[in-house]
Amino acid sequence: MNTTMIAVMLATSLLMGLIGLIAFLWGLKNGQFDDEKKMMQGVLFDSPEDLQHAIRQENIQRKKMKEIYDIAIIGGGPGGIASAVESIMLGIKDVILFEKGEDHSTTIRKFYKDKKRVDKDYKGQKIELDGHIYFCDGTKESTLDFFGEVIKNNAFEAQFQTEVESIAQKQDYFEIQTTKNTAIKARYIIISIGKMGQPNKPSYPIPSTLRNIVNFNANSCVDGEKLLVVGGGNSAVEYACVLSETNPVTLNYRKKEFSRINEINHEQLDMCLKNGKIIPKFGIDIENLEDSNSKVKVNFTDGNSEVFDRVIYAIGGIAPIDFLKKCGLALDEDGVPLTDENHQTSIKGIYVAGDILYKNGGSIAAALNHGFHIVQEIHKKL
């Protein structure tokens, strides 16, 4: 056997070996040895062109699979963020989050006063965190920064400024319709949209000429304005205490005692009342509002009236009942979705997390735990 023949045989062997190595590495990467069918398909490939074609087909198939997400999350607050992060931690990659606001945590951004304290144990609820998001006490600003970092460090697909209009149940998936006229398919849905997006309003009408100075959060307040804060919960007390540093504040609550606020807020309120920073008007309700030269004249049920530059109502939020009903979810008499022990609603495959699980609102820590436990349950089913 001459030298030329040996060289040709050696070159041929090296080429075949290289092709075999490429095929083997490709098979490992794409799971061709995971089952018998894939393995046999891999054996049939006999050229690099075949391998490239197979890779292209695999990518096309994966793109098609992406059209159906494992989990779609509605709401970019703590419950929604936790649901997305816990999904990633469990290896559930096909997850998408929808948030109608420009960024995450819209409720905190819109309804919390700057530098407002944000407690882990809200309203005295002692909750041990079960998941991978280790939230602790802070302020509005530090809380937003914290969740921003959580999102940054746990990449998942999110569509902001995208409001979900409806959810329709199909055979083995759900179809989500957005106000942008896009449709997304998902096997499981987690709704975590909060309650403060639709604040409770008083039973009496608010004159149209006063709507700019009758508010449901403290964001529009100007230093020095004479303010009336209305409400008997933690938000009302916190607004009043913070605003009393820069404004004359009257706090009105229809009952004589505050039974729904936490211990810290009780102490702060007592201190503000003792120092004369807050004028109390307790045990008295409001009868109606009037326009008094572009200011708010408040007529109280005790027969007295007083004029304020601005009135802030902090009388709670209601569940977005219209949306929940449109989704076909069963609700109780307070508009709270009916759920089982795993937070699954009356429609199998749709779960809820966060404030909408409570009549009077929940805590950030509770919402984080909801996300963790819901995703654990979905992971078992996937």
Side-chain angles (χ1 to χ4, degrees), residues 19 44-52:
I19 293 172
L44 295 177
F45 300 136
D46 57 6
S47 72
E49 289 77 17
D50 290 331
L51 294 176
Q52 291 299 322

Side-chain angles (χ1 to χ4, degrees), residues 61-73 92-96 98 167-176 184-190 344 347-351 374 378-379 381-382:
Q61 183 64 25
R62 287 183 177 181
K63 187 175 180 180
K64 287 182 178 178
M65 289 297 293
K66 189 71 171 178
E67 291 177 0
I68 300 180
Y69 290 85
D70 288 326
I71 303 175
I73 302 161
I92 305 173
K93 303 298 184 183
D94 290 339
V95 177
I96 185 168
F98 297 98
I167 300 172
Q169 187 174 20
K170 305 298 182 179
Q171 288 185 342
D172 57 351
Y173 65 90
F174 296 94
E175 185 172 272
I176 298 171
I184 302 293
K185 299 175 183 177
R187 294 183 176 86
Y188 294 93
I189 306 289
I190 302 174
Q344 184 170 228
I347 297 178
K348 290 185 177 180
I350 298 182
Y351 297 78
I374 289 171
I378 292 175
H379 184 251
K381 297 180 179 180
L382 287 173

Side-chain angles (χ1 to χ4, degrees), residues 42 46 66 131 138 140 144 150 160 185 206 236 244 307 331 356 368 379:
D46 57 6
K66 189 71 171 178
K140 170 185 175 178
L144 291 174
V150 168
F160 294 100
K185 299 175 183 177
I206 299 173
S244 68
V307 176
L331 312 176
I356 57 174
L368 297 179
H379 184 251

